[in-house]
Structures are given as C-alpha cells and as structure tokens.
C-alpha cells in the first residue's frame, strides 16, 4: 500500500480538499486497494474542528464524496507512517520539514511540483476563493497520480 499524507496549515481547507479529491480520482482509476490517503495540519490552530463550510460546499458542487473529517496534527513519528507528504505551499513544506526532521527518504513534496506550474496553492481561508483552490488541487492531484503510477509501477 502506498500511503499519502496531504498537509496544510489548518487541515480544514486545502489538505482535506486534496484528500477527498485524490480519493475520488483513485476510486475512478480503480486504485483504491493500492493507495491510502490521509491529511494533516502543521499547526494546532484548528484542533477539534472539521471541514470548513466553504471547502465542503466547493467539494459538493463538484460531487466529490466526503467522509467524516476531524483535524489531525502532523507529528515527528508520522515520518515512518507515510510514503509521501504533500504540502500545499512553500510554508507548509518548511513546517513539514521542521516537524519531521531530515527527509532521508525524499518523501516531502509540494502539490504543484507535479505540474508545469510550480506555484503555491493559495489558502482559501484567507482568499475566500474556494473555486481557484479546487482547480489548483485537481491540477496537482492529476500530476501527482501520474507520478505515483510511474514511480511505483501501478
Ligand atoms: P488550510 O487553511 O491551511 O487550508 O486548512 C487555514 C485554516 C485555518 C487557519 C489557517 C489556514 N487558521 O489560522 O486557523
């Protein structure tokens, strides 16, 4: 099983959106038995909360299935529990490395690194623009799935 952990600052907007979008892509590609998806926060700010309403509405607009979500915070011991840690922006990647320590197995990436446009994904909690975030996440997840298929021969 390939284990993927999407990571953002609060784990209420971008990383759970990426989790549900990627889970749906995996289902459509019949790879549910090969890839496991999770999401985590780099901050403790939103502990005890669930998916942000604007993120939920955007996913529903695109008919992406949503399951129960509660904020979970990335911890040092998680390094061995996942194969890939995918941050949404440069700051997330900085904090993932701060929490996990040295990336000996080259597991840490930024989502849009898997596209031709290696930007950060804007935080809709600040911008209010969930549609642009959704589109960027779909773009990144599409590239990431192609990368996973090649890398892992699936
Ligand atoms: P996310 O958005 O990182 O995409 O989940 C945020 C949600 C909450 C906060 C920051 C970003 N906050 O500071 O509480």
């Amino acid at each position: 099983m390939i284990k993927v952990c999407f990571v953002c600052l609060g784990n209420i907007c971008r990383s759970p959106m990426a989790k549900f979008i990627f889970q749906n892509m995996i289902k459509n590609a019949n790879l549910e038995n090969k890839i496991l998806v999770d999401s985590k926060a780099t901050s403790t700010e939103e502990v005890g909360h669930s998916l942000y309403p604007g993120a939920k509405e955007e996913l529903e607009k695109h008919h992406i299935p949503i399951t129960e979500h509660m904020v979970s915070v990335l911890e040092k011991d998680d390094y061995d529990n996942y194969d890939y840690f995918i941050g949404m922006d440069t700051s997330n990647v900085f904090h993932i490395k701060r929490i996990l320590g040295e990336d000996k197995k080259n597991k840490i990436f930024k989502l849009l690194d898997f596209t031709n446009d290696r930007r950060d994904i804007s935080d809709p909690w600040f911008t209010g623009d969930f549609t642009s975030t959704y589109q960027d996440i779909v773009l990144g997840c599409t590239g990431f799935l192609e990368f996973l298929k090649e890398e892992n021969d699936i």
Side-chain angles (χ1 to χ4, degrees), residues 64-113:
I64 305 291
I66 299 167
T67 52
E68 175 76 28
H69 175 73
M70 286 303 284
V71 169
S72 173
V73 178
L74 188 68
E75 292 175 358
K76 190 169 178 54
D77 288 349
D78 283 322
Y79 193 74
D80 294 327
N81 297 335
Y82 298 93
D83 301 300
Y84 299 93
F85 296 90
I86 314 293
M88 299 296 128
D89 62 29
T90 307
S91 168
N92 298 153
V93 170
F94 173 83
H95 287 290
I96 294 169
K97 288 179 176 170
R98 174 182 59 77
I99 294 166
L100 298 179
E102 195 191 346
D103 185 14
K104 283 185 188 153
K105 295 184 179 166
N106 201 25
K107 295 181 176 186
I108 303 171
F109 299 87
K110 190 172 78 172
L111 187 56
L112 290 183
D113 283 349

Side-chain angles (χ1 to χ4, degrees), residues 7-17 41-43 45-46 49 52 88-89 92 122-126 133:
V7 183
C8 64
L9 179 59
N11 193 221
I12 58 170
C13 295
R14 292 165 297 172
S15 63
M17 285 177 80
T42 59
S43 88
E45 203 72 39
E46 297 291 340
H49 292 168
Y52 193 72
M88 299 296 128
D89 62 29
N92 298 153
S122 306
D123 192 337
W125 196 76
F126 295 108
T133 297

